[in-house]
Amino acid sequence: MSNSYDQVLYPSKAFQDTHPDRLASVAILHGLQPPTGPCRVLEVGCGDGSNLIPLAVALPGSHFVGIDLAARPIELGQATINRLGLTHVELHSLNILDFPAHLGPFDYILAHGFCSWVPLFVLDAFFSLCQQQLTPNGVVYASYNTYPEGHIRAATRRILRLGDGSVASGKDYLAAIRRRATNPLWQSVLDVELKRLNGRDENVTFHDELGDAYHTFYFADFMERAGAFGLQFLSESKLRPVLKPAFSREELGEADEIAYQQALDLITFEGFRRTLLCRSGLPVDRGNFAQHLPKLSLASPLRFVSRSASGAETFRNDRGAGQVELNHPQLLSILHQLEMVWPQARPLAELLPAEPDPAVLNQILALSAASLVHLRSFELPVAHTASRRPLASPLARLQASSGPVLTTLLHSLVQFEEPSAREYLQLLDGTRHTESLAAGEEVLKAFYRMGLMLA
Ligand SMILES: C[S@@+](CC[C@H](N)C(=O)[O-])C[C@H]1O[C@@H](n2cnc3c(N)ncnc32)[C@H](O)[C@@H]1O
């Protein structure tokens, strides 16, 4: 079995929005009851397992199956699995059309970068697989290109394909069109597209823009297609558009959720969705997020900076730019407790008072929408404080031996250009006593805070 992904390798990576922890958290916020303990996960079009293998490392009690039509990426992923000695993740070079039923069922089915890059009959085979293999409370993740922004991408793709088939010649042709373009609106569109393509790995462009199968959907059409297979719209996987949409359904006056979401795409010029689906008939509860919030756990990378005379406190975001000022005593108490244990989470039911102030719940949702705190539903095996014999994620140690990009136990990516930091990380295999680890305590602390260290 072979396809173009065997000839030109696709540089894949971990996608946080596909984590079963995220899928379950979003489902719980919508009143559903997905599994949050040991579970079975399928990734379709998994490539070399760059997304699936880190999930398996972080969820050792669960079982993972990845399939991909291309054989070479699967071989590469299998080599990584062998080196890590993992027995709960299996990769198969397999056409989705030939999926053997005995591999299922699955609580979470993931398809990143798949639905828009396969023929429509293969997309239907994917939905059919979900219909047959998804457990009753399971969740599907499907990402795909959307209109209206997709109209621009479709035009770019058409122009790129007027080259000789190589990315370089396609981009040259696009640049030549730009130089001669006479319409100011079109000139600026082409500038944006050229900038996007010039900042991207050419192997990605080769597949994403030049590949034979390429589909863009209006959201409502995608959902109609999924609906024919007994699947319904649950939510987007990213929290921001869910918890802080550009406009509420009331503001837009839309009668149903599909029409509302479609209108949002048209307003925000959406080009790519990361949609969660569940079985039709499940009672999806929208708009009562605060009520369901206490069923989740919370983690916070926020670090206390200062307290003003009024009692307001400023926190710094440890994992990105920005500061935030907060003043609700219940919330401040929670953030101080969580600061001590980051990157671990604690159940909100334990952190909140018996009768939490609704304002606190809403503030936690707002902080989550801004990725300043993290909602969790699974227990992740991350350590927050140094053990006597520190143990780093075996995957991160393996990755550190070959390059600067490491996948954390939180499924995020961190970059270590400095070879000495990567060498140090490789020493943290649980056999060495902290005192024998000569390098600075600060580096080790940073590893803990990044979620690289196992509990
Ligand atoms: C755009 S890549 C996405 C890879 C990865 N999920 C990512 O996002 O980085 C699409 C993947 O789908 C796989 N694929 C295409 N058709 C398939 C089929 N019929 N059955 C299984 N996999 C298929 C390709 O081989 C390729 O690895």
Side-chain angles (χ1 to χ4, degrees):
M1 224 166 318
S2 163
N3 69 0
S4 62
Y5 291 89
D6 277 315
Q7 276 89 54
V8 177
L9 287 179
Y10 192 83
S12 201
K13 58 180 183 186
F15 298 99
Q16 282 198 298
D17 310 312
T18 68
H19 201 304
D21 174 59
R22 171 70 61 80
L23 275 51
S25 299
V26 173
I28 290 168
L29 279 178
H30 287 80
L32 300 185
Q33 295 178 316
T36 54
C39 60
R40 294 178 53 80
V41 182
L42 168 68
E43 184 170 6
V44 170
C46 67
D48 64 3
S50 295
N51 187 53
L52 198 65
I53 295 171
L55 291 177
V57 170
L59 299 175
S62 295
H63 192 82
F64 297 81
V65 177
I67 65 157
D68 200 290
L69 188 55
R72 234 177 107 206
I74 292 289
E75 278 165 24
L76 292 171
Q78 193 57 54
T80 305
I81 291 168
N82 295 345
R83 289 182 72 177
L84 294 171
L86 301 175
T87 54
H88 62 302
V89 51
E90 41 181 304
L91 301 185
H92 301 277
S93 173
L94 190 68
N95 191 332
I96 193 173
L97 302 175
D98 305 323
F99 193 88
H102 69 82
L103 289 179
F106 299 99
D107 302 301
Y108 298 97
I109 301 181
L110 321 175
H112 182 81
F114 181 81
C115 300
S116 276
W117 286 275
V118 291
L120 290 175
F121 71 91
V122 176
L123 175 60
D124 284 347
F126 166 68
F127 288 142
S128 168
L129 174 67
C130 295
Q131 185 174 36
Q132 288 158 32
Q133 296 285 2
L134 190 69
T135 53
N137 291 307
V139 180
V140 176
Y141 170 101
S143 64
Y144 50 98
N145 294 326
T146 57
Y147 293 123
E149 195 193 1
H151 287 294
I152 304 278
R153 298 282 165 87
T156 305
R157 166 180 157 83
R158 183 69 196 232
I159 298 169
L160 286 172
R161 280 166 69 96
L162 293 173
D164 66 8
S166 71
V167 174
S169 106
K171 284 202 314 198
D172 283 349
Y173 193 73
L174 188 67
I177 297 289
R178 164 63 188 95
R179 280 196 300 279
R180 293 169 183 134
T182 52
N183 177 300
L185 177 60
W186 187 223
Q187 286 170 352
S188 50
V189 167
L190 291 173
D191 281 341
V192 170
E193 285 297 274
L194 276 166
K195 191 168 173 212
R196 177 175 72 84
L197 293 170
N198 286 333
R200 215 164 65 157
D201 189 314
E202 294 213 340
N203 282 10
V204 173
T205 304
F206 177 80
H207 291 293
D208 285 9
E209 316 284 337
L210 291 177
D212 287 335
Y214 186 89
H215 298 284
T216 307
F217 301 90
Y218 277 99
F219 168 75
D221 296 345
F222 189 84
M223 285 318 309
E224 195 181 324
R225 218 173 174 103
F229 294 88
L231 301 165
Q232 66 169 321
F233 176 65
L234 166 57
S235 171
E236 285 301 288
S237 187
K238 279 200 178 300
L239 286 173
R240 188 176 201 91
V242 179
L243 299 176
K244 209 169 179 293
F247 293 92
S248 69
R249 190 158 140 190
E250 294 68 44
E251 281 173 308
L252 298 187
E254 294 293 353
D256 70 74
E257 185 64 22
I258 301 296
Y260 165 54
Q261 293 290 330
Q262 181 60 82
L264 281 176
D265 280 6
L266 299 178
I267 289 165
T268 61
F269 195 53
E270 189 57 62
F272 194 71
R273 269 190 177 252
R274 300 155 186 87
T275 294
L276 304 185
L277 307 166
C278 65
R279 287 196 175 276
S280 304
L282 281 184
V284 177
D285 180 19
R286 303 184 197 283
N288 289 314
F289 300 139
Q291 182 194 322
H292 299 297
L293 184 64
K295 300 172 196 163
L296 294 171
S297 292
L298 192 68
S300 169
L302 291 176
R303 292 180 122 177
F304 173 75
V305 177
S306 60
R307 181 177 295 114
S308 74
S310 69
E313 296 187 7
T314 301
F315 290 83
R316 174 162 56 82
N317 179 10
D318 199 30
R319 307 192 77 215
Q323 295 203 337
V324 59
E325 195 184 80
L326 301 160
N327 59 12
H328 197 296
Q330 282 179 17
L331 182 60
L332 295 176
S333 152
I334 289 174
L335 292 180
H336 285 296
Q337 292 176 62
L338 292 177
E339 182 174 344
M340 308 288 288
V341 298
W342 169 261
Q344 292 185 350
R346 293 289 180 263
L348 273 163
E350 289 170 18
L351 293 166
L352 290 163
E355 293 199 2
D357 183 346
V360 171
L361 300 176
N362 286 326
Q363 282 187 40
I364 292 174
L365 289 170
L367 290 171
S368 307
S371 299
L372 290 170
V373 297
H374 303 264
L375 299 175
R376 291 223 191 115
S377 46
F378 278 72
E379 202 167 319
L380 302 178
V382 277
H384 70 87
T385 176
S387 63
R388 279 168 63 82
R389 295 183 192 280
L391 177 61
S393 151
L395 174 65
R397 278 187 280 130
L398 183 63
Q399 291 172 326
S401 65
S402 59
V405 181
L406 314 181
T407 315
T408 72
L409 293 159
L410 307 176
H411 216 51
S412 57
L413 301 177
V414 290
Q415 197 146 339
F416 282 101
E417 295 300 342
E418 185 58 55
S420 63
R422 300 208 301 268
E423 280 159 23
Y424 183 57
L425 187 82
Q426 288 173 69
L427 296 176
L428 306 178
D429 60 2
T431 63
R432 294 177 178 80
H433 200 284
T434 15
E435 283 150 25
S436 70
L437 293 161
E441 222 179 293
E442 287 311 309
V443 183
L444 191 55
K445 268 194 200 154
F447 289 161
Y448 277 96
R449 290 194 65 79
M450 285 170 184
L452 285 166
M453 305 302 295
L454 272 163

